Amino acid sequence: LTGEQVLHSLLEQLQLSQAPVLPGAGAQGAAIPAPMRAQYVALLHRSHGGRSREK
Amino acid sequence: RFSQSFREVAGRLLASEASEASALVLAFGLERRLPAGSELVRAALRLFQRPPPPAAPRRPERSARAQVTVEWLRVLPDGSRRAWLVDSRLVNVHDSGWKAFDVTDAVTFWRQLSPPRPPLLLRVSVRREPLGPGAAGAHRLVRFGAQGPEGAEAAPRLELHTLDLEAYGAQGDCRPEAPAEGARCCRRESYLDLQGLRWAAHWVLEPPGLLLHECAGACRQPPAPRAPPAPFLGPRRCVAAETGPVPVIVRAAAEGGEARPRLLSLPDLRVRRCGCAADGAPLPRPAAP
């Protein structure tokens, strides 16, 4: 898997033709709302361990 | 036989119907027939085509064929039935003998069902060929062994060709110290540093990088077949057999030019399992095709 494939997948999901040019943000992590962070962590765990839990 | 392991399962006739297209429904009890730790290479439905009655008139060559179609029949939880096409071929109505149909897809789908699994149901229908108002009813001469009083010799059979995954499958995760050259098919870990990519640095908030896997190594090829191999199948290669999504949080432009976080799930980016599969052969898929 290459960076190009990840970029392609992201652009496809967001229906964009190219990566957006965004200004750098200082404390990026803090800008993520707590519910979204919790949902992200849940998806991350499922992505890593879904299979072993099924077993 | 070309496979290392070869089993034959006798079918049971559930129903037959005669209309525009005559049809049979066959049931195969496959539970425990496919050994654990084995990979299905090919499943063939063998039907014995009985010779037409001696009194049957000889038809012109053009109308002396019938289209035999095999479908996987599934009874859904709400009680409705749905059929998926798995194979279809023309047969000569004056012919007789064993006919083989490739039902690998049907058995592959059936294997994805949650246990306890119902018997595998295959519907075999015979339609006239060519289609059209002028077509003759020659297809009614096609009868298979399940429809008559013959003995078990002519009963429908399902041949299951399997390979032992211990000897022919992937070996799980690659050993980091082992060279990739000549290694057996395995899952190799790789890391993609997103923060090191210019396009991702200010766009992707989470994660900073992706711990991903790729399938590497070689697959053992089955012994050379004595019978003709399944058509269109290439050599076995090491490929992703099971994948999963990867969550990411990006900054997406919102109204007013403000960039807000957005959670996305990128499908199939994570390789969960590698396996050996022939080019053109179906990989295990979710139950509903």
Side-chain angles (χ1 to χ4, degrees), chain B residues 142-157:
Chain B
V142 177
R143 302 188 72 196
F144 293 111
Q147 290 162 285
E150 297 94 340
E153 295 80 27
R157 285 151 201 210

Side-chain angles (χ1 to χ4, degrees), chain B residues 19-96:
Chain B
S19 56
E20 183 78 1
S22 59
L24 305 170
V25 178
L26 304 169
F28 294 90
L30 294 189
E31 210 61 79
R32 291 188 295 278
R33 296 286 186 162
L34 288 158
S38 72
E39 174 194 324
L40 179 72
V41 178
R42 185 175 179 235
L45 172 68
R46 292 196 178 274
L47 297 172
F48 185 78
Q49 185 182 350
R50 294 159 57 195
R58 298 290 295 186
R59 306 236 171 221
E61 201 57 41
R62 189 172 142 74
S63 61
R65 291 188 306 174
Q67 186 78 42
V68 180
T69 300
V70 182
E71 293 164 302
W72 176 47
L73 198 62
R74 192 179 163 201
V75 180
L76 300 173
D78 65 0
S80 62
R81 292 192 311 174
R82 203 178 151 189
W84 286 275
L85 176 67
V86 287
D87 197 10
S88 185
R89 60 178 279 198
L90 288 169
V91 300
N92 189 314
V93 300
H94 298 295
D95 204 359
S96 71

Side-chain angles (χ1 to χ4, degrees), chain A residues 28-41:
Chain A
Q28 287 171 354
I32 301 170
M36 184 182 287
R37 189 178 292 278
Q39 201 181 348
Y40 167 76
V41 171

Side-chain angles (χ1 to χ4, degrees), chain A residues 6-55:
Chain A
V6 176
L7 174 61
H8 178 77
S9 186
L10 275 169
L11 294 176
E12 201 171 58
Q13 285 269 311
L14 293 165
Q15 298 183 324
L16 297 173
S17 56
Q18 59 181 10
V21 180
L22 298 163
Q28 287 171 354
I32 301 170
M36 184 182 287
R37 189 178 292 278
Q39 201 181 348
Y40 167 76
V41 171
L43 284 173
L44 203 62
H45 287 168
R46 201 178 305 164
S47 167
H48 280 296
R51 190 173 150 73
S52 54
R53 270 207 304 278
E54 278 168 23
K55 273 187 167 175

